[in-house]
Amino acid sequence: MRLTMEQVIRYQTEGYLIVPDVFSEADLQPVIDELSAEIDARARKAYAEGKITELHEHEPFEKRFTLLCEQSREIGRGFDINGYLGEAMFRFMSGKGLLDLVECLLGTEITCNPIQHVRAKHPAKSAGEGNDYFQNVPWHQDCAVTSPDSDASEIITFWLPLVDATAETGCMEVMPYVFKQGYLNHRSEGGTTIVPELLPNVKQVLAECRKGGLVIMNKYTPHRGISNRSDIIRWSIDLRYHKTGAPSGRSHHPSFPVRSALDPGSELTDVTEWRRMWREVKEEKGKSLHRV
Ligand SMILES: O=C(O)CCC(=O)C(=O)O
Ligand SMILES: [Fe+2]
């Protein structure tokens, strides 16, 4: 699938675009199966250690993780793409379906940016105390979580839900057109967020997106995640891509080329190498990755 000229222009004008029906069930299932296996492994470990009493092994992907995290928040700790480094996720990030769309906006020389997450937004009623940053992400621009040396880099966010993301399950909300104002100052309060006095007074739009769809965002587009009022987990994946050679905004984390017409041999296809790069990353203790 390619973006139509109309879609490209809409993205360039409004700073975001929702594209329905990009991925089939078969495209997403390997990722879901891998996440389910990771959850199962964490559950069994916690069970063996006596930290939980119920495995909930017959509960579906949309519910099980919440029931486990309710018993032990530790089960959710470090649950992210670079936490479990799964092969299905790695293949998905360099999958043809996704990259064909990325190419429409960035051209043929594409690098996968290391700012990438899988998010389990638990039902608000279950999440209880200690809602973390992933739960209700406050108004921000993605640019705020990159280092300033990447200001000139076009880093585009590709966000996709693994369940229907609606007003009820807690989709994102975006501010159209505002990206043209560039970087708005952020502060660190309940997560990295735009200084409230600077929040543009514009009509906010719900970015509802069914499973299989994709939300594309400019790095200056203000957006937030709204509360999950449903009884299922709002699972999503957010990935970012930039032109190969441009600063990633996270120079200490592994970026890797996923598509190149000029030098196809440079594309990283070896999952072992990807894992090695992440494991080698030594975070400087206490060093913030965000601008504030
Ligand atoms: O998933 C959400 O609720 C927010 C995600 C987000 O801010 C992002 O993907 O950049
Ligand atoms: Fe974001």
Side-chain angles (χ1 to χ4, degrees):
M1 184 195 259
R2 302 238 147 218
L3 294 178
T4 62
M5 189 56 77
E6 196 206 1
Q7 284 174 314
V8 172
I9 290 170
R10 192 170 335 139
Y11 169 74
Q12 288 171 344
T13 310
E14 300 187 16
Y16 84 103
L17 180 73
I18 302 170
V19 191
D21 303 323
V22 176
F23 306 107
S24 67
E25 291 285 338
D27 292 332
L28 299 176
Q29 201 56 44
V31 172
I32 292 174
D33 289 345
E34 187 173 81
L35 289 166
S36 302
E38 172 68 16
I39 289 166
D40 189 59
R42 285 172 175 240
R44 284 178 199 285
K45 181 167 176 286
Y47 187 82
E49 291 167 356
K51 291 177 179 154
I52 61 170
T53 55
E54 263 296 334
L55 280 172
H56 290 295
E57 51 198 321
H58 301 299
E59 292 290 341
F61 176 63
E62 288 78 11
K63 293 199 168 164
R64 186 180 185 197
F65 197 38
T66 302
L67 296 167
L68 295 168
C69 292
E70 279 175 347
Q71 297 177 74
S72 163
R73 286 189 63 79
E74 203 183 305
I75 289 191
R77 199 166 296 154
F79 190 91
D80 207 343
I81 292 178
N82 64 5
Y84 77 99
L85 296 171
E87 177 159 9
M89 186 66 86
F90 175 74
R91 302 274 166 234
F92 183 81
M93 295 189 303
S94 35
K96 181 175 172 355
L98 179 54
L99 294 186
D100 282 352
L101 296 188
V102 178
E103 187 177 319
C104 294
L105 298 174
L106 285 174
T108 57
E109 308 308 303
I110 308 171
T111 282
C112 187
N113 188 283
I115 305 173
Q116 48 195 206
H117 301 291
V118 58
R119 298 178 200 252
K121 189 191 285 197
H122 297 288
K125 57 177 174 265
S126 312
E129 290 298 302
N131 259 353
D132 59 15
Y133 183 64
F134 273 30
Q135 294 290 332
N136 293 300
V137 182
W139 284 110
H140 68 283
Q141 298 166 308
D142 279 357
C143 163
V145 302
T146 60
S147 51
D149 67 316
S150 66
D151 275 351
S153 305
E154 194 177 356
I155 303 170
I156 305 182
T157 301
F158 292 79
W159 184 101
L160 59 129
L162 299 174
V163 298
D164 290 345
T166 63
E168 205 200 347
T169 60
C171 62
M172 285 191 295
E173 200 167 31
V174 302
M175 291 186 181
Y177 305 103
V178 171
F179 74 97
K180 291 167 193 161
Q181 296 183 23
Y183 180 64
L184 302 166
N185 273 331
H186 285 60
R187 71 180 190 198
S188 182
E189 200 170 296
T192 297
T193 189
I194 297 170
V195 173
E197 300 79 56
L198 299 180
L199 206 59
N201 185 15
V202 298
K203 192 167 163 283
Q204 302 152 5
V205 176
L206 275 180
E208 289 190 312
C209 182
R210 301 253 156 227
K211 182 181 178 189
L214 184 65
V215 182
I216 308 177
M217 278 186 304
N218 183 289
K219 69 175 182 176
Y220 295 118
T221 291
H223 58 284
R224 68 170 174 178
I226 65 170
S227 175
N228 179 357
R229 294 182 272 118
S230 76
D231 59 2
I232 63 163
I233 303 165
R234 199 236 48 201
W235 281 104
S236 64
I237 301 173
D238 47 279
L239 306 171
R240 285 156 197 78
Y241 294 88
H242 59 269
K243 285 187 181 153
T244 298
S248 71
R250 288 280 169 91
S251 57
H252 302 298
H253 287 176
S255 291
F256 60 95
V258 282
R259 180 171 283 188
S260 173
L262 295 175
D263 181 13
S266 66
E267 295 169 6
L268 185 72
T269 55
D270 180 1
V271 66
T272 313
E273 173 60 11
W274 178 62
R275 289 179 175 140
R276 190 198 59 73
M277 291 192 297
W278 267 115
R279 289 183 179 136
E280 219 179 43
V281 173
K282 298 263 187 296
E283 294 285 7
E284 282 177 53
K285 264 211 176 77
K287 185 169 182 286
S288 174
L289 297 170
H290 298 187
R291 292 194 183 205
V292 290

